[in-house]
Amino acid sequence: MTKAITDSNNSVQKVAIVGASGYAGAELVGLLSKHSHAEISHLVVSENSDSEGKLFSELHGRFQGVCDLALEAFSQDWFDKCAANLDVVFFATPHDFSADWAQAFLDAGVKVFDLSGGFRLKDASDYPKYYGFEHADTNALAKAIYGLAEWEADNIANTNLVAVPGCYPTASLLCLKPITTNNLHVENSLVVVNGISGVSGAGRNASLATNFNEVSLKPYNILQHRHQPEISQESNVSVIFNPHLAPYKRGLLSTVTLQLKIGVTSAQVDQAFQDAYANTPLVRIVKKWPEIGNVAYTPFADVHWQYDEEKHVVVVSCAIDNVLKGASSQAMQCFNLSLGLPSEYSLINS
Ligand SMILES: NC(=O)C1=CN([C@@H]2O[C@H](COP(=O)(O)OP(=O)(O)OC[C@H]3O[C@@H](n4cnc5c(N)ncnc54)[C@H](OP(=O)(O)O)[C@@H]3O)[C@@H](O)[C@H]2O)C=CC1
Ligand SMILES: CC(=O)N[C@@H](CCC(=O)OP(=O)(O)O)C(=O)O
């Protein structure tokens, strides 16, 4: 049963979205436009963007009449003029932009919700290896809170810097954490995570590799994807991560396989998932294997598992919309938690 959504908070936050011309930023603009505690002050793109000066709704036609603000170009001047009047900024930008600019917004008293990977990894030395740049701000990195909404609600509510999880990590961790936080798995055993994503996961800028005519179904970035250390860090197990790209627009599915300790029963496994998700309206325990078609364009995550008690193997699968639960709607959940609202506020029944 879904819990009632309470709203005793009267504050209205002035927000800016940097990266509003992109896929994740655009979804966020749509969600924030109907949020009763948000007033969109600025929509921002890069300094030399082709989109500067265009109306947001000109670029993303389905938001005509929903948000018709003009896109502004980010620069030091923009920051000096606008940051002090903001309460909140969302970065839906490249990872290095977030790493470079978060502290400046924090110093100006602005809460930061970063949808990129700029603040997700605790070990700064992973940034050159997995992201291709030295992290500019290891102090802020150490303070950032990982924004997996169903698992980190209290920490998210008490920070000014949220690292919103990656899309594959969101689905993978929702599968893994009920098992690993209860220590049901065999320590140091092989944990395999297979992920599959539609092409919107690669962002809006055209590239041959993500051109619809070029994409069939194939693994990519095997044994080197930047989400491997993120999933391992947040599940506390070292995982093998196998991402796949498929020819559809929206949605992502992650299926994980773990070896459980001898003696672990089906009842224990079921209980671990019930304890985690019985009261989380946006994570649905479903009775059949999850389908992308049931979650695409929604903020829901659908989770299902099967345990073989004789082989001690559990397989868990989770489907999400990569741009929503994998990015923008999870950022909204974090924003809600920071305001003391239920994380699903304005995301369901609205
Ligand atoms: N797509 C997805 O499924 C997911 C994306 N994310 C993350 O969200 C972020 C955005 O992703 P996505 O929307 O897909 O990417 P897009 O490529 O679609 O959009 C990127 C946005 O960032 C803006 N931008 C680029 N450089 C700068 C800069 N230097 N200063 C200010 N703005 C800049 C672009 O504006 P313009 O080009 O007009 O200048 C554009 O609005 C990324 O970090 C991504 O990893 C996270 C989870 C899932
Ligand atoms: C299909 C595709 O290319 N997906 C992207 C991941 C999505 C994304 O934008 O990454 P974050 O979740 O880390 O922000 C990739 O594999 O790099």
Side-chain angles (χ1 to χ4, degrees), residues 210-321:
T210 55
N211 178 313
F212 190 79
N213 293 313
E214 301 288 327
V215 175
S216 56
L217 172 56
K218 68 165 191 176
Y220 67 103
N221 285 359
I222 293 294
L223 299 180
Q224 57 189 24
H225 196 282
R226 66 183 187 280
H227 289 168
Q228 185 275 330
E230 187 180 335
I231 299 167
S232 298
Q233 170 186 291
E234 295 299 322
S235 63
N236 278 317
V237 292
S238 178
V239 304
I240 304 289
F241 174 50
N242 301 321
H244 299 71
L245 182 65
Y248 59 86
K249 283 188 186 177
R250 295 273 288 257
L252 177 154
L253 193 126
S254 210
T255 301
V256 312
T257 308
L258 302 101
Q259 188 80 45
L260 301 194
K261 289 174 180 158
I262 292 173
V264 171
T265 62
S266 290
Q268 278 175 286
V269 173
D270 293 352
Q271 194 61 50
F273 282 94
Q274 290 295 339
D275 289 348
Y277 304 130
N279 296 309
T280 55
L282 295 175
V283 178
R284 305 186 294 202
I285 293 176
V286 291
K287 292 196 167 67
K288 295 188 282 190
W289 290 110
E291 295 180 33
I292 280 169
N294 292 338
V295 295
Y297 302 94
T298 84
F300 293 106
D302 284 356
V303 178
H304 183 78
W305 63 94
Q306 194 163 330
Y307 178 44
D308 184 327
E309 262 186 18
E310 279 172 23
K311 295 195 178 97
H312 316 292
V313 168
V314 69
V315 178
V316 193
S317 192
C318 174
I320 60 171
D321 181 295

Side-chain angles (χ1 to χ4, degrees), residues 115-122 127 131 163-166 227 230 233:
L115 281 69
S116 86
F119 287 94
R120 294 180 196 148
L121 301 182
K122 286 296 163 208
Y127 276 90
Y131 283 85
V164 181
H227 289 168
E230 187 180 335
Q233 170 186 291

Side-chain angles (χ1 to χ4, degrees), residues 75-270:
S75 65
Q76 181 70 50
D77 281 353
W78 181 94
F79 177 85
D80 293 342
K81 209 166 57 185
C82 303
N85 296 321
L86 292 172
D87 299 306
V88 170
V89 67
F90 292 90
F91 293 149
T93 47
H95 318 288
D96 53 344
F97 174 90
S98 308
D100 288 346
W101 280 94
Q103 189 60 48
F105 281 90
L106 293 171
D107 290 344
V110 182
K111 257 185 201 180
V112 176
F113 296 88
D114 179 23
L115 281 69
S116 86
F119 287 94
R120 294 180 196 148
L121 301 182
K122 286 296 163 208
D123 185 347
S125 70
D126 277 339
Y127 276 90
K129 184 170 170 195
Y130 288 102
Y131 283 85
F133 63 88
E134 289 282 347
H135 204 286
D137 196 341
T138 49
N139 286 336
L141 186 61
K143 285 185 294 190
I145 293 295
Y146 192 73
L148 189 63
E150 281 72 21
W151 287 89
E152 298 290 342
D154 291 344
N155 288 333
I156 294 164
N158 291 305
T159 186
N160 289 329
L161 175 55
V162 177
V164 181
C167 46
Y168 287 119
T170 295
S172 308
L173 290 165
L174 291 174
C175 294
L176 286 166
K177 283 181 77 85
I179 302 293
T180 60
T181 55
N182 286 293
N183 283 312
L184 301 180
H185 60 293
V186 174
E187 224 172 292
N188 299 323
S189 57
L190 192 64
V191 178
V192 179
V193 178
N194 292 314
I196 180 165
S197 172
V199 287
S200 58
R204 187 162 180 260
N205 284 336
S207 87
L208 192 59
T210 55
N211 178 313
F212 190 79
N213 293 313
E214 301 288 327
V215 175
S216 56
L217 172 56
K218 68 165 191 176
Y220 67 103
N221 285 359
I222 293 294
L223 299 180
Q224 57 189 24
H225 196 282
R226 66 183 187 280
H227 289 168
Q228 185 275 330
E230 187 180 335
I231 299 167
S232 298
Q233 170 186 291
E234 295 299 322
S235 63
N236 278 317
V237 292
S238 178
V239 304
I240 304 289
F241 174 50
N242 301 321
H244 299 71
L245 182 65
Y248 59 86
K249 283 188 186 177
R250 295 273 288 257
L252 177 154
L253 193 126
S254 210
T255 301
V256 312
T257 308
L258 302 101
Q259 188 80 45
L260 301 194
K261 289 174 180 158
I262 292 173
V264 171
T265 62
S266 290
Q268 278 175 286
V269 173
D270 293 352

